[in-house]
Amino acid sequence: MEKMTHSVKQVPAQLLRGRPGNSLEAERESFERGQSVSINKAINAQEVAVKEKHARTCILGTHHEKGAHTFWSVVNRLPLSSNAVLCWKFCHVFHKLLRDGHPSVLQDSMRYKNELSDMSRMWGHLSEGYGRLSCIYLKLLITKMEFHSKNPRFPGNLQMTDRQLEETGENDVNNFFQLTVEMFDYLECELNLFQAVFSSLDMSRSVSVTAAGQCRLAPLIQVILDCSHLYDYTVKLLFKLHSCLPADTLQGHRDRFHEQFRKLKELFYRSSNLQYFKRLIQIPQLPENAPNFLRASALSEHVSPVVVIPVESTSPDSEPVVETDDLVEMDSSSQQLREESLFDDKFDDLFGSTGPTDPFNFNSQNGMSKDDRDKLIEQLYREIASLKDEMESFKVESKRLISQLRGRISELEAELAEQQHLKQQAVDENEFVKAELEEVKKKRDDTEKAQRSLTEIERKAQANEQRYTKLKEKYTELVQNHADLLRKNAEVTKQMTSFRQTQEDMEQIKKELEETVHRLKEDIQQKAQEQTRVLESLQKELKFRNEELVSLKSSHEDSRQSSTVMASTIESLTLEKTALSEAVDQKASTLAILQEELEQLKEALSAERDNTSRTVEGLQNQLNEKENHEQALEKQLLDEQFALLRCAVEEAERIVQDALSRLDDPLHVGCTSSADYLITRGQAALDSLNRLQDGHMKYLSDRSDASNLLQSVTLFTHLLGDAIVQGSATSHLAPMEEADRLSDACKQCGNEVLSYFSSLKDTATLSSADCTKVRESLNQINTIAEELRPKGRDVKQEELGDLVEQEMSATSAAIEAATTRIEEMLSKSREGDTGVNLEVNERILASCTDLMHAVKMLVLTSKDLQRDIVESERGAASQKEFYAKNSRWTEGLISASKAVGWGATVLVDAADMVVQGKGKFEELMVCSHEIAASTAQLVAASKVKADKDNTNLGRLRQASRGVNEATANVVASTKSGKSQIEEKDTMDFSSMTLTQIKRQEMDTQVHVLELESQLQKERQRLGELRKKHYELAGVSEGWDEDTK
């Protein structure tokens, strides 16, 4: 025990200055609790100004947590929508955070922008008092958030150098123009709040000294700081814009600036006269007249307004600055000695001196009783608690000192930044003046006016040099002060580090003291056991004495002389018995107390075990629930993926069924297609079928992702439906047998696809779904389409080029011959006909001549376009090789040319018969329509390979429109001539009787019925002729070579 006491005496005295360690959670809770208290103190319903110390704590809190989450979590619990004063003070504190808080405050606050907007509209329903002021203030804060969100280079306090301001525009005058407009809007909101506050005050009274007046005026300090920077940047941006844009373009900017300049100057003047602002802020005065932006040199006359906030009193309620020099420069060695002596005195008071007498020696005659030990232990606990309180108070005081020092450092850094800004402006002005001085020196010998200007500029340069020297000295002083503060901060940090180390040592001492107390309890228990053993021995001895007493009584009569001795012995034994009984009772009570403490410890241990078991059981239940939930989510995901697949497959089945229904649709009979296009559609369907098979395999390997299979099913369905429809359309032009085979193949393919899709819909057959039969049916469709492809004619491919030239030349010759014949017929008609016949013939032949000229122009343009196509696409091949390579296109040109030449010849023959009176007007109209159709075929065949930007293609389209117009003229002139000739046969029924008229009416009805019957027969005959024409055209294309 003496060794333990001696080891405790050797503990350094610095351990008393330790503080208890806190975990991260405790520090976080302490921080949030402190922030909550400061925010609630700053934002309350009392109509007094916000205290600067509470606002500063909120600002430091945002820098501590690097955001505003704690601020908004506290503010969201405040009734801002029901108390206007509370909302007004919230706007004030939030404005300070946006200006001086951490940069992340803006991002954390943007999510509450809509709530602030709604609150502004709600308070806007009030026309006076704090409700109207809160509405305007909230609009200003929203505008500020939007401005800084759009322009992230601007800090919250708007402090920037001229270079940084220049970089925000990115050398783009449009950016500068838009930035100026946004600054005008920003400054307009600031001025609106300024005017609203002044209009709500009774300026006839000294409102600035009342608590209510200061509550309204306090936020204007932040507004003045913002307005000074916005005014300065607006002036510089307008000078920049006037150097890049015409003055007329910026007339609106100048008008808006002059209006805001007038308002800002008036408000600054009114504010500077208020007693409240005189001791808090130095408000700058704007110049008498606004800057002249039309004169570029006026920029040198502009002086940036600087708002100065005195350091000694930032707010009426700010706490006095604590001088920490004595705390930092304290003699640590002497303090350590004093604290060691203090610890020694306290230790001696508690545990006694280190002399020969040991207070823990219970066998000594000076040993202490149990009550003294309990008192000692309780006194020791109280001392430890008092030491903890002292350490906690020292910790709070240290935190307060550090917070004040950091606030002072922030203020000095802000002042240093402002002085640097002033220094940069002075340097810029000095450089500008120097440049202007050099320019004036060059012109000094020209005029006396230049000499006077030079003298004035030199004087201004000297003043600027002096100002620059003063600013440089001030800057040096600020740098020195900043360095001293940094050194002091380092010393405080070092002291805090030692403080934390002392705290850890104190914790170690606490543990050792607890172990000592535990050992004392064990020693007490051992002593109680020893005393119990002594009591048992005494009881045995007492029993022996009683037996001896009985023997002595029996021999009492034998030894009278020894009775007196025995009586005295019994009396002493009785006294000893009484003393031993008391000792036994005392030990029994001590044992009962120790047993009670043991029972309490057992109960606490049992409760802790129960809590631990319940906690473990709860965690196990949560783990099981989480696993079950994950399994349920996974099963739900698989079900949803399969449900999506089932929906996609069902939609695909409807698409395929729709395509199959087209095969038997009578309205689809008129749709036709080529075998080549059917082959391309069938090949595309086969390619998509391969993708579908790959998607099916991927889905079987991972059923949680059905995206590939869904895409493949959708693509394959559309391509297959298109292939089935095109197969049906191709069968309409094919021979009967091939058409039936193709239709059956399309139906079989659709049925196989439906069977395959039904396998995909069912989970039982999903894995065994096979698309082999679908691929075989698609290959069968392609095989039939290959058989239906045109085999070409007997003309060799090498001769196609010459044949094209021959047909085009023959067409041109036929058109020339037709034109010549029409002119000859017109001459004959003029010689032989007179009156209406001559007029009708001239009109018809003239329209036919115009039609021939239009067709001739179209043929020539088509030849030019074909020449361009051949030259642009043939490459190194010859013209004949190009025609042979593109044989289908070449055969189309040949066919169209032949049709145009034949149509011209037939038109001339029909016109000749009409002029001679032997033909019918209808034949002429049909021939003109036939020529129009032939020329349309020629145009289509010519432009199918042409570039859309080709000049000759545009000419060909213009010529085609000319042919259509000429055809319409032929039809119109023919109809007109027919009506003129038929007017001569006017019906005269004046000489007919009723019976004759009735007879004629019946004959006419019979004739009408005959004509209608004949018309029906002729239409059927026309259909058969067209069908036969298509068959013959198919034969000429080689469709039926295999059937022969």
mmCIF file of all heavy atoms in Angstrom, residues 255-290:
data_model
loop_
_atom_site.group_PDB
_atom_site.id
_atom_site.type_symbol
_atom_site.label_atom_id
_atom_site.label_comp_id
_atom_site.label_asym_id
_atom_site.label_seq_id
_atom_site.Cartn_x
_atom_site.Cartn_y
_atom_site.Cartn_z
ATOM 1 N N ASP A 255 -29.569 54.548 -68.910
ATOM 2 C CA ASP A 255 -30.750 55.103 -68.228
ATOM 3 C C ASP A 255 -31.012 54.367 -66.921
ATOM 4 O O ASP A 255 -31.284 54.990 -65.883
ATOM 5 C CB ASP A 255 -31.970 54.994 -69.148
ATOM 6 C CG ASP A 255 -31.823 55.875 -70.383
ATOM 7 O OD1 ASP A 255 -30.984 56.794 -70.357
ATOM 8 O OD2 ASP A 255 -32.535 55.621 -71.379
ATOM 9 N N ARG A 256 -30.916 53.044 -66.961
ATOM 10 C CA ARG A 256 -31.163 52.280 -65.748
ATOM 11 C C ARG A 256 -30.105 52.547 -64.681
ATOM 12 O O ARG A 256 -30.395 52.652 -63.489
ATOM 13 C CB ARG A 256 -31.201 50.788 -66.087
ATOM 14 C CG ARG A 256 -31.749 49.920 -64.960
ATOM 15 C CD ARG A 256 -31.931 48.504 -65.408
ATOM 16 N NE ARG A 256 -32.521 47.680 -64.343
ATOM 17 C CZ ARG A 256 -32.715 46.364 -64.433
ATOM 18 N NH1 ARG A 256 -32.378 45.733 -65.552
ATOM 19 N NH2 ARG A 256 -33.242 45.694 -63.422
ATOM 20 N N PHE A 257 -28.833 52.711 -65.119
ATOM 21 C CA PHE A 257 -27.780 53.006 -64.157
ATOM 22 C C PHE A 257 -27.989 54.370 -63.508
ATOM 23 O O PHE A 257 -27.792 54.522 -62.291
ATOM 24 C CB PHE A 257 -26.423 52.954 -64.856
ATOM 25 C CG PHE A 257 -25.289 53.408 -63.985
ATOM 26 C CD1 PHE A 257 -24.733 52.557 -63.040
ATOM 27 C CD2 PHE A 257 -24.789 54.691 -64.076
ATOM 28 C CE1 PHE A 257 -23.694 52.976 -62.225
ATOM 29 C CE2 PHE A 257 -23.755 55.118 -63.264
ATOM 30 C CZ PHE A 257 -23.200 54.256 -62.335
ATOM 31 N N HIS A 258 -28.352 55.383 -64.302
ATOM 32 C CA HIS A 258 -28.542 56.720 -63.740
ATOM 33 C C HIS A 258 -29.658 56.720 -62.700
ATOM 34 O O HIS A 258 -29.557 57.399 -61.660
ATOM 35 C CB HIS A 258 -28.854 57.710 -64.867
ATOM 36 C CG HIS A 258 -27.670 57.994 -65.738
ATOM 37 N ND1 HIS A 258 -27.780 58.387 -67.054
ATOM 38 C CD2 HIS A 258 -26.330 57.896 -65.496
ATOM 39 C CE1 HIS A 258 -26.584 58.556 -67.579
ATOM 40 N NE2 HIS A 258 -25.681 58.253 -66.660
ATOM 41 N N GLU A 259 -30.736 55.977 -62.957
ATOM 42 C CA GLU A 259 -31.821 55.909 -61.985
ATOM 43 C C GLU A 259 -31.357 55.237 -60.691
ATOM 44 O O GLU A 259 -31.623 55.728 -59.582
ATOM 45 C CB GLU A 259 -32.991 55.134 -62.588
ATOM 46 C CG GLU A 259 -34.193 55.029 -61.652
ATOM 47 C CD GLU A 259 -35.326 54.216 -62.267
ATOM 48 O OE1 GLU A 259 -35.167 53.784 -63.426
ATOM 49 O OE2 GLU A 259 -36.341 54.037 -61.578
ATOM 50 N N GLN A 260 -30.639 54.126 -60.813
ATOM 51 C CA GLN A 260 -30.143 53.446 -59.616
ATOM 52 C C GLN A 260 -29.070 54.272 -58.911
ATOM 53 O O GLN A 260 -28.976 54.251 -57.683
ATOM 54 C CB GLN A 260 -29.592 52.072 -59.989
ATOM 55 C CG GLN A 260 -30.654 51.086 -60.449
ATOM 56 C CD GLN A 260 -30.106 49.701 -60.692
ATOM 57 O OE1 GLN A 260 -28.888 49.493 -60.648
ATOM 58 N NE2 GLN A 260 -30.990 48.734 -60.964
ATOM 59 N N PHE A 261 -28.260 55.010 -59.659
ATOM 60 C CA PHE A 261 -27.251 55.874 -59.048
ATOM 61 C C PHE A 261 -27.915 56.940 -58.175
ATOM 62 O O PHE A 261 -27.473 57.212 -57.045
ATOM 63 C CB PHE A 261 -26.401 56.514 -60.152
ATOM 64 C CG PHE A 261 -25.427 57.547 -59.637
ATOM 65 C CD1 PHE A 261 -24.237 57.171 -59.058
ATOM 66 C CD2 PHE A 261 -25.726 58.898 -59.729
ATOM 67 C CE1 PHE A 261 -23.339 58.123 -58.590
ATOM 68 C CE2 PHE A 261 -24.844 59.848 -59.263
ATOM 69 C CZ PHE A 261 -23.645 59.466 -58.691
ATOM 70 N N ARG A 262 -28.978 57.535 -58.683
ATOM 71 C CA ARG A 262 -29.666 58.582 -57.922
ATOM 72 C C ARG A 262 -30.250 58.009 -56.632
ATOM 73 O O ARG A 262 -30.104 58.591 -55.548
ATOM 74 C CB ARG A 262 -30.772 59.199 -58.792
ATOM 75 C CG ARG A 262 -31.600 60.251 -58.088
ATOM 76 C CD ARG A 262 -32.686 60.774 -59.004
ATOM 77 N NE ARG A 262 -33.539 59.695 -59.512
ATOM 78 C CZ ARG A 262 -34.518 59.145 -58.810
ATOM 79 N NH1 ARG A 262 -34.766 59.550 -57.577
ATOM 80 N NH2 ARG A 262 -35.242 58.187 -59.331
ATOM 81 N N LYS A 263 -30.900 56.827 -56.723
ATOM 82 C CA LYS A 263 -31.481 56.211 -55.528
ATOM 83 C C LYS A 263 -30.407 55.823 -54.515
ATOM 84 O O LYS A 263 -30.541 56.071 -53.313
ATOM 85 C CB LYS A 263 -32.283 54.972 -55.916
ATOM 86 C CG LYS A 263 -33.525 55.261 -56.740
ATOM 87 C CD LYS A 263 -34.248 53.957 -57.055
ATOM 88 C CE LYS A 263 -35.494 54.208 -57.891
ATOM 89 N NZ LYS A 263 -36.192 52.939 -58.223
ATOM 90 N N LEU A 264 -29.312 55.201 -54.999
ATOM 91 C CA LEU A 264 -28.266 54.738 -54.101
ATOM 92 C C LEU A 264 -27.582 55.909 -53.409
ATOM 93 O O LEU A 264 -27.264 55.845 -52.206
ATOM 94 C CB LEU A 264 -27.247 53.903 -54.886
ATOM 95 C CG LEU A 264 -26.155 53.212 -54.072
ATOM 96 C CD1 LEU A 264 -26.776 52.242 -53.080
ATOM 97 C CD2 LEU A 264 -25.184 52.479 -54.994
ATOM 98 N N LYS A 265 -27.346 56.973 -54.138
ATOM 99 C CA LYS A 265 -26.707 58.151 -53.533
ATOM 100 C C LYS A 265 -27.582 58.732 -52.429
ATOM 101 O O LYS A 265 -27.104 59.075 -51.330
ATOM 102 C CB LYS A 265 -26.444 59.198 -54.621
ATOM 103 C CG LYS A 265 -25.767 60.456 -54.107
ATOM 104 C CD LYS A 265 -25.538 61.435 -55.242
ATOM 105 C CE LYS A 265 -24.891 62.709 -54.707
ATOM 106 N NZ LYS A 265 -24.724 63.713 -55.792
ATOM 107 N N GLU A 266 -28.871 58.839 -52.686
ATOM 108 C CA GLU A 266 -29.791 59.372 -51.683
ATOM 109 C C GLU A 266 -29.850 58.469 -50.454
ATOM 110 O O GLU A 266 -29.815 58.948 -49.308
ATOM 111 C CB GLU A 266 -31.185 59.523 -52.299
ATOM 112 C CG GLU A 266 -32.236 60.040 -51.328
ATOM 113 C CD GLU A 266 -33.620 60.075 -51.945
ATOM 114 O OE1 GLU A 266 -33.738 59.738 -53.147
ATOM 115 O OE2 GLU A 266 -34.579 60.430 -51.232
ATOM 116 N N LEU A 267 -29.916 57.155 -50.660
ATOM 117 C CA LEU A 267 -30.008 56.234 -49.531
ATOM 118 C C LEU A 267 -28.719 56.215 -48.711
ATOM 119 O O LEU A 267 -28.759 56.128 -47.483
ATOM 120 C CB LEU A 267 -30.340 54.834 -50.040
ATOM 121 C CG LEU A 267 -31.726 54.689 -50.683
ATOM 122 C CD1 LEU A 267 -31.875 53.313 -51.318
ATOM 123 C CD2 LEU A 267 -32.817 54.904 -49.645
ATOM 124 N N PHE A 268 -27.549 56.286 -49.389
ATOM 125 C CA PHE A 268 -26.295 56.367 -48.658
ATOM 126 C C PHE A 268 -26.235 57.630 -47.810
ATOM 127 O O PHE A 268 -25.749 57.622 -46.672
ATOM 128 C CB PHE A 268 -25.125 56.335 -49.640
ATOM 129 C CG PHE A 268 -24.694 54.937 -50.006
ATOM 130 C CD1 PHE A 268 -25.437 53.831 -49.616
ATOM 131 C CD2 PHE A 268 -23.544 54.703 -50.751
ATOM 132 C CE1 PHE A 268 -25.058 52.551 -49.947
ATOM 133 C CE2 PHE A 268 -23.147 53.431 -51.088
ATOM 134 C CZ PHE A 268 -23.909 52.355 -50.690
ATOM 135 N N TYR A 269 -26.726 58.746 -48.358
ATOM 136 C CA TYR A 269 -26.699 60.010 -47.620
ATOM 137 C C TYR A 269 -27.612 59.935 -46.393
ATOM 138 O O TYR A 269 -27.240 60.350 -45.295
ATOM 139 C CB TYR A 269 -27.119 61.143 -48.555
ATOM 140 C CG TYR A 269 -27.224 62.492 -47.851
ATOM 141 C CD1 TYR A 269 -26.076 63.200 -47.485
ATOM 142 C CD2 TYR A 269 -28.471 63.037 -47.545
ATOM 143 C CE1 TYR A 269 -26.185 64.422 -46.834
ATOM 144 C CE2 TYR A 269 -28.578 64.249 -46.909
ATOM 145 C CZ TYR A 269 -27.422 64.949 -46.547
ATOM 146 O OH TYR A 269 -27.532 66.147 -45.900
ATOM 147 N N ARG A 270 -28.797 59.372 -46.568
ATOM 148 C CA ARG A 270 -29.731 59.270 -45.446
ATOM 149 C C ARG A 270 -29.202 58.316 -44.373
ATOM 150 O O ARG A 270 -29.393 58.544 -43.179
ATOM 151 C CB ARG A 270 -31.089 58.804 -45.937
ATOM 152 C CG ARG A 270 -31.786 59.795 -46.852
ATOM 153 C CD ARG A 270 -33.109 59.250 -47.370
ATOM 154 N NE ARG A 270 -34.062 59.036 -46.291
ATOM 155 C CZ ARG A 270 -35.280 58.522 -46.463
ATOM 156 N NH1 ARG A 270 -35.680 58.171 -47.688
ATOM 157 N NH2 ARG A 270 -36.093 58.358 -45.434
ATOM 158 N N SER A 271 -28.538 57.268 -44.802
ATOM 159 C CA SER A 271 -28.022 56.298 -43.835
ATOM 160 C C SER A 271 -26.871 56.887 -43.022
ATOM 161 O O SER A 271 -26.732 56.610 -41.829
ATOM 162 C CB SER A 271 -27.560 55.037 -44.555
ATOM 163 O OG SER A 271 -28.609 54.448 -45.283
ATOM 164 N N SER A 272 -26.032 57.658 -43.688
ATOM 165 C CA SER A 272 -24.871 58.213 -42.983
ATOM 166 C C SER A 272 -25.271 59.194 -41.895
ATOM 167 O O SER A 272 -24.479 59.493 -40.996
ATOM 168 C CB SER A 272 -23.935 58.882 -43.983
ATOM 169 O OG SER A 272 -24.603 59.957 -44.649
ATOM 170 N N ASN A 273 -26.490 59.737 -41.949
ATOM 171 C CA ASN A 273 -26.942 60.698 -40.941
ATOM 172 C C ASN A 273 -27.604 60.027 -39.735
ATOM 173 O O ASN A 273 -27.938 60.710 -38.770
ATOM 174 C CB ASN A 273 -27.927 61.696 -41.568
ATOM 175 C CG ASN A 273 -27.243 62.585 -42.602
ATOM 176 O OD1 ASN A 273 -26.052 62.865 -42.486
ATOM 177 N ND2 ASN A 273 -27.990 63.010 -43.615
ATOM 178 N N LEU A 274 -27.819 58.729 -39.793
ATOM 179 C CA LEU A 274 -28.452 58.028 -38.675
ATOM 180 C C LEU A 274 -27.411 57.689 -37.615
ATOM 181 O O LEU A 274 -26.301 57.234 -37.928
ATOM 182 C CB LEU A 274 -29.140 56.748 -39.169
ATOM 183 C CG LEU A 274 -30.376 56.938 -40.056
ATOM 184 C CD1 LEU A 274 -30.896 55.587 -40.516
ATOM 185 C CD2 LEU A 274 -31.459 57.704 -39.321
ATOM 186 N N GLN A 275 -27.768 57.913 -36.359
ATOM 187 C CA GLN A 275 -26.850 57.679 -35.243
ATOM 188 C C GLN A 275 -26.476 56.195 -35.136
ATOM 189 O O GLN A 275 -25.370 55.849 -34.718
ATOM 190 C CB GLN A 275 -27.502 58.158 -33.935
ATOM 191 C CG GLN A 275 -26.577 58.131 -32.730
ATOM 192 C CD GLN A 275 -25.425 59.118 -32.872
ATOM 193 O OE1 GLN A 275 -25.597 60.158 -33.530
ATOM 194 N NE2 GLN A 275 -24.268 58.811 -32.298
ATOM 195 N N TYR A 276 -27.409 55.330 -35.529
ATOM 196 C CA TYR A 276 -27.170 53.893 -35.400
ATOM 197 C C TYR A 276 -26.007 53.432 -36.268
ATOM 198 O O TYR A 276 -25.199 52.599 -35.873
ATOM 199 C CB TYR A 276 -28.442 53.137 -35.764
ATOM 200 C CG TYR A 276 -28.298 51.640 -35.748
ATOM 201 C CD1 TYR A 276 -28.144 50.950 -34.549
ATOM 202 C CD2 TYR A 276 -28.311 50.908 -36.935
ATOM 203 C CE1 TYR A 276 -28.004 49.579 -34.530
ATOM 204 C CE2 TYR A 276 -28.163 49.539 -36.918
ATOM 205 C CZ TYR A 276 -28.017 48.882 -35.713
ATOM 206 O OH TYR A 276 -27.871 47.514 -35.703
ATOM 207 N N PHE A 277 -25.904 54.001 -37.491
ATOM 208 C CA PHE A 277 -24.855 53.580 -38.425
ATOM 209 C C PHE A 277 -23.531 54.254 -38.146
ATOM 210 O O PHE A 277 -22.485 53.755 -38.554
ATOM 211 C CB PHE A 277 -25.284 53.867 -39.865
ATOM 212 C CG PHE A 277 -26.412 52.996 -40.356
ATOM 213 C CD1 PHE A 277 -27.594 53.547 -40.795
ATOM 214 C CD2 PHE A 277 -26.279 51.621 -40.366
ATOM 215 C CE1 PHE A 277 -28.630 52.759 -41.240
ATOM 216 C CE2 PHE A 277 -27.309 50.822 -40.807
ATOM 217 C CZ PHE A 277 -28.492 51.389 -41.243
ATOM 218 N N LYS A 278 -23.537 55.404 -37.481
ATOM 219 C CA LYS A 278 -22.295 56.155 -37.313
ATOM 220 C C LYS A 278 -21.282 55.385 -36.480
ATOM 221 O O LYS A 278 -20.074 55.521 -36.701
ATOM 222 C CB LYS A 278 -22.597 57.501 -36.662
ATOM 223 C CG LYS A 278 -23.284 58.495 -37.610
ATOM 224 C CD LYS A 278 -23.496 59.836 -36.945
ATOM 225 C CE LYS A 278 -24.158 60.823 -37.909
ATOM 226 N NZ LYS A 278 -24.395 62.145 -37.293
ATOM 227 N N ARG A 279 -21.721 54.608 -35.508
ATOM 228 C CA ARG A 279 -20.782 53.887 -34.669
ATOM 229 C C ARG A 279 -20.584 52.444 -35.107
ATOM 230 O O ARG A 279 -19.877 51.702 -34.420
ATOM 231 C CB ARG A 279 -21.266 53.916 -33.219
ATOM 232 C CG ARG A 279 -22.655 53.374 -32.994
ATOM 233 C CD ARG A 279 -23.191 53.786 -31.630
ATOM 234 N NE ARG A 279 -24.559 53.302 -31.414
ATOM 235 C CZ ARG A 279 -24.849 52.160 -30.826
ATOM 236 N NH1 ARG A 279 -23.878 51.397 -30.411
ATOM 237 N NH2 ARG A 279 -26.104 51.801 -30.645
ATOM 238 N N LEU A 280 -21.234 52.025 -36.184
ATOM 239 C CA LEU A 280 -21.099 50.648 -36.675
ATOM 240 C C LEU A 280 -20.409 50.543 -38.022
ATOM 241 O O LEU A 280 -19.740 49.545 -38.287
ATOM 242 C CB LEU A 280 -22.485 49.988 -36.775
ATOM 243 C CG LEU A 280 -23.247 49.781 -35.473
ATOM 244 C CD1 LEU A 280 -24.587 49.163 -35.770
ATOM 245 C CD2 LEU A 280 -22.476 48.912 -34.524
ATOM 246 N N ILE A 281 -20.559 51.521 -38.877
ATOM 247 C CA ILE A 281 -20.078 51.395 -40.250
ATOM 248 C C ILE A 281 -19.803 52.776 -40.817
ATOM 249 O O ILE A 281 -20.504 53.746 -40.491
ATOM 250 C CB ILE A 281 -21.115 50.647 -41.118
ATOM 251 C CG1 ILE A 281 -20.561 50.338 -42.495
ATOM 252 C CG2 ILE A 281 -22.420 51.394 -41.206
ATOM 253 C CD1 ILE A 281 -21.455 49.424 -43.315
ATOM 254 N N GLN A 282 -18.756 52.879 -41.631
ATOM 255 C CA GLN A 282 -18.448 54.123 -42.337
ATOM 256 C C GLN A 282 -18.970 53.999 -43.766
ATOM 257 O O GLN A 282 -18.428 53.256 -44.572
ATOM 258 C CB GLN A 282 -16.943 54.381 -42.329
ATOM 259 C CG GLN A 282 -16.373 54.637 -40.944
ATOM 260 C CD GLN A 282 -14.877 54.895 -40.973
ATOM 261 O OE1 GLN A 282 -14.301 55.027 -42.054
ATOM 262 N NE2 GLN A 282 -14.248 54.964 -39.806
ATOM 263 N N ILE A 283 -20.051 54.729 -44.051
ATOM 264 C CA ILE A 283 -20.716 54.629 -45.346
ATOM 265 C C ILE A 283 -20.035 55.574 -46.335
ATOM 266 O O ILE A 283 -19.874 56.765 -46.033
ATOM 267 C CB ILE A 283 -22.204 54.967 -45.208
ATOM 268 C CG1 ILE A 283 -22.860 54.011 -44.195
ATOM 269 C CG2 ILE A 283 -22.913 54.878 -46.547
ATOM 270 C CD1 ILE A 283 -24.294 54.340 -43.896
ATOM 271 N N PRO A 284 -19.626 55.078 -47.519
ATOM 272 C CA PRO A 284 -18.972 55.976 -48.480
ATOM 273 C C PRO A 284 -19.991 56.918 -49.130
ATOM 274 O O PRO A 284 -21.190 56.635 -49.166
ATOM 275 C CB PRO A 284 -18.370 55.005 -49.496
ATOM 276 C CG PRO A 284 -19.278 53.815 -49.448
ATOM 277 C CD PRO A 284 -19.732 53.708 -48.017
ATOM 278 N N GLN A 285 -19.491 57.998 -49.644
ATOM 279 C CA GLN A 285 -20.323 58.965 -50.360
ATOM 280 C C GLN A 285 -20.027 58.858 -51.853
ATOM 281 O O GLN A 285 -18.862 58.864 -52.265
ATOM 282 C CB GLN A 285 -20.050 60.397 -49.868
ATOM 283 C CG GLN A 285 -20.431 60.615 -48.415
ATOM 284 C CD GLN A 285 -21.925 60.391 -48.175
ATOM 285 O OE1 GLN A 285 -22.759 60.718 -49.011
ATOM 286 N NE2 GLN A 285 -22.250 59.826 -47.011
ATOM 287 N N LEU A 286 -21.072 58.751 -52.653
ATOM 288 C CA LEU A 286 -20.915 58.668 -54.102
ATOM 289 C C LEU A 286 -20.623 60.034 -54.684
ATOM 290 O O LEU A 286 -20.933 61.070 -54.069
ATOM 291 C CB LEU A 286 -22.184 58.084 -54.721
ATOM 292 C CG LEU A 286 -22.572 56.679 -54.250
ATOM 293 C CD1 LEU A 286 -23.797 56.200 -54.999
ATOM 294 C CD2 LEU A 286 -21.439 55.707 -54.456
ATOM 295 N N PRO A 287 -20.002 60.117 -55.873
ATOM 296 C CA PRO A 287 -19.688 61.422 -56.472
ATOM 297 C C PRO A 287 -20.965 62.212 -56.779
ATOM 298 O O PRO A 287 -22.076 61.673 -56.806
ATOM 299 C CB PRO A 287 -18.917 61.048 -57.730
ATOM 300 C CG PRO A 287 -19.283 59.639 -58.011
ATOM 301 C CD PRO A 287 -19.542 58.999 -56.685
ATOM 302 N N GLU A 288 -20.769 63.495 -57.024
ATOM 303 C CA GLU A 288 -21.906 64.378 -57.264
ATOM 304 C C GLU A 288 -22.650 63.977 -58.529
ATOM 305 O O GLU A 288 -23.887 63.982 -58.564
ATOM 306 C CB GLU A 288 -21.424 65.828 -57.379
ATOM 307 C CG GLU A 288 -22.557 66.849 -57.484
ATOM 308 C CD GLU A 288 -23.397 66.922 -56.221
ATOM 309 O OE1 GLU A 288 -22.868 66.579 -55.125
ATOM 310 O OE2 GLU A 288 -24.582 67.306 -56.316
ATOM 311 N N ASN A 289 -21.900 63.645 -59.570
ATOM 312 C CA ASN A 289 -22.497 63.290 -60.855
ATOM 313 C C ASN A 289 -22.108 61.853 -61.209
ATOM 314 O O ASN A 289 -21.048 61.367 -60.799
ATOM 315 C CB ASN A 289 -22.036 64.236 -61.962
ATOM 316 C CG ASN A 289 -22.463 65.682 -61.699
ATOM 317 O OD1 ASN A 289 -23.595 65.932 -61.276
ATOM 318 N ND2 ASN A 289 -21.551 66.624 -61.909
ATOM 319 N N ALA A 290 -22.986 61.238 -61.959
ATOM 320 C CA ALA A 290 -22.706 59.870 -62.410
ATOM 321 C C ALA A 290 -21.566 59.859 -63.416
ATOM 322 O O ALA A 290 -21.319 60.858 -64.103
ATOM 323 C CB ALA A 290 -23.961 59.268 -63.044
#
